[in-house]
């Protein structure tokens, strides 16, 4: 467990001054070139962090083809190697972006709302293969952090490998159908902390206002200082999805360290990576008004 409740990614402190959440913008593609254009707009709009969603990029098509392989035993390693090479090539094309803004590398599986058709073993193999190759990159060219889905069962191993490269780990948990009871959410967060996460992220779906209130309470308790209640000793990002949960993205007093916003592309269109994400200008304005 970390001794500090904040992180520093490329000069960006998470959470920011006064405990205000850092604002991340997801680069949703659909191509690497489009993601680069999105990155420029996001940087100009003041994004603190960029999230590269490689599962949404057309160039990383091996992630979709994974389960279509005719003989799983014979082709898994080949498909993983292909997918890893594609991910790394997309990262190379973001080099100048990494120089300007911290980058979070995310491969979201279909099990958690993404496009990557990876089972647990394939997911672990992909992340570990990417990290193996990143060991040969200059530290300044590596992403600041990598997202690891806690439900895939490889958080501990990937955390150890990433930390050896100076890359932080965002452990994530998503439920697009409901908001689990408090005990379940707290157990998930505790598991993330014990398995090496540097930031614990949960995103859940509310079925009523009570679900949003419960999530904010779980976040506030988890974000407390170690020794105070259920304080984990690491930053927490908790989001209630959809319009009903929008308040969870702009309520700094409850302790969320990182929130996600959207930025229009060159055509003025926005594509959220999860339901309920707000335009970055609105998020900034709300955070200033509501900061503790």
């Amino acid at each position: 467990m970390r001794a500090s409740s904040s992180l520093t990614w490329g000069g960006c402190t998470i959470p920011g001054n006064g405990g205000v959440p850092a604002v991340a913008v997801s680069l949703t593609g659909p191509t690497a070139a489009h993601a680069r254009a999105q990155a420029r707009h996001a940087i100009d709009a003041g994004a603190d962090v960029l999230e590269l969603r490689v599962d949404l990029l057309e160039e990383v098509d091996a992630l979709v083809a994974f389960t279509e392989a005719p003989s799983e035993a014979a082709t898994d390693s080949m498909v993983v190697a292909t997918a890893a090479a594609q991910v790394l090539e997309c990262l190379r094309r973001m080099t100048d972006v990494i120089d300007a803004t911290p980058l979070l590398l995310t491969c979201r599986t279909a099990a958690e709302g993404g496009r990557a058709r990876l089972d647990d073993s394939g997911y672990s193999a992909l992340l570990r293969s990417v990290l193996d190759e990143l060991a040969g990159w200059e530290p300044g060219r590596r992403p600041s952090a990598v997202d690891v889905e806690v439900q895939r069962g490889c958080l501990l191993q990937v955390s150890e490998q990433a930390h050896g490269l100076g890359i932080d780990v965002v452990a994530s948990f998503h439920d697009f159908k409901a908001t689990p009871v408090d005990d379940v959410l707290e157990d998930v967060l505790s598991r993330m902390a014990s398995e090496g996460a540097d930031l614990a992220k949960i995103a859940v779906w509310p079925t009523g206002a009570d679900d949003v209130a419960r999530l904010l309470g779980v976040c506030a308790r988890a974000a407390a200082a170690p020794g105070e209640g259920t304080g984990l000793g690491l930053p927490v990002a908790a989001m209630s999805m959809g319009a009903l949960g929008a308040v969870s993205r702009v309520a700094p007093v409850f302790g969320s360290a990182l929130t996600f916003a959207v930025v229009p592309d060159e055509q003025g269109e926005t594509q959220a990576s999860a339901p309920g994400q707000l335009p970055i200008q609105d998020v900034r304005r709300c955070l200033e008004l509501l900061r503790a």
Side-chain angles (χ1 to χ4, degrees):
M1 185 178 296
R2 297 179 64 90
S4 171
S5 58
S6 66
L7 298 171
T8 300
W9 292 350
C12 172
T13 301
I14 301 173
N17 293 335
V20 175
V23 181
V25 171
S26 292
L27 309 178
T28 54
T31 67
H34 197 154
R36 282 176 53 81
Q38 288 177 323
R40 289 193 293 270
H41 284 286
I43 292 170
D44 291 343
D48 298 309
V49 176
L50 299 174
E51 179 188 40
L52 182 60
R53 282 286 303 272
V54 294
D55 59 294
L56 299 178
L57 300 181
E58 293 174 359
E59 291 89 342
V60 195
D61 58 0
L63 293 175
V64 178
F66 191 91
T67 55
E68 299 171 358
S71 174
E72 187 170 330
T75 60
D76 271 7
S77 60
M78 179 180 67
V79 178
V80 166
T82 300
Q86 292 174 342
V87 169
L88 290 160
E89 180 56 30
C90 289
L91 271 177
R92 287 188 185 94
R93 298 178 66 179
M94 303 297 291
T95 297
D96 57 333
V97 172
I98 294 175
D99 287 340
T101 307
L103 188 75
L104 167 63
L105 176 64
T106 298
C107 178
R108 185 70 63 230
T109 67
E112 303 218 8
R115 185 168 169 264
R117 298 178 184 174
L118 295 169
D119 60 12
D120 291 356
S121 61
Y123 178 80
S124 174
L126 173 69
L127 292 188
R128 301 195 71 175
S129 181
V130 168
L131 290 170
D132 279 342
E133 292 298 322
L134 286 175
W137 291 27
E138 294 181 9
R141 296 292 184 261
R142 299 168 186 161
S144 295
V146 60
D147 182 290
V148 183
E149 296 173 3
V150 67
Q151 298 291 78
R152 307 285 74 78
C154 60
L155 176 58
L156 180 61
Q157 294 80 10
V158 175
S159 293
E160 292 175 348
Q161 187 176 4
H163 291 159
L165 301 176
I167 297 173
D168 281 339
V169 171
V170 174
S172 63
F173 170 87
H174 301 79
D175 190 327
F176 285 85
K177 295 182 179 179
T179 300
V181 298
D182 290 11
D183 286 350
V184 170
L185 293 175
E186 289 169 358
D187 285 347
V188 167
L189 290 169
S190 179
R191 177 182 168 192
M192 291 173 172
S194 67
E195 294 185 7
D198 300 285
L199 186 149
K201 173 193 169 187
I202 52 176
V204 293
W205 189 264
T207 58
D210 179 63
D211 284 344
V212 181
R214 287 196 303 103
L215 180 70
L216 291 172
V218 168
C219 181
R221 292 191 294 274
E228 296 181 10
T230 55
L232 295 179
L234 75 163
V236 176
M239 287 148 281
S240 187
M241 293 184 281
L244 183 61
V247 65
S248 67
R249 300 180 180 276
V250 293
V253 69
F254 292 97
S256 195
L258 183 69
T259 190
F260 287 77
V262 294
V263 172
D265 61 17
E266 293 172 331
Q267 286 72 43
E269 299 178 354
T270 59
Q271 181 180 349
S273 61
Q277 290 177 359
L278 302 170
I280 191 170
Q281 295 87 348
D282 294 342
V283 170
R284 291 286 190 199
R285 189 177 305 115
C286 289
L287 290 175
E288 283 302 313
L289 288 172
L290 299 174
R291 66 185 300 174

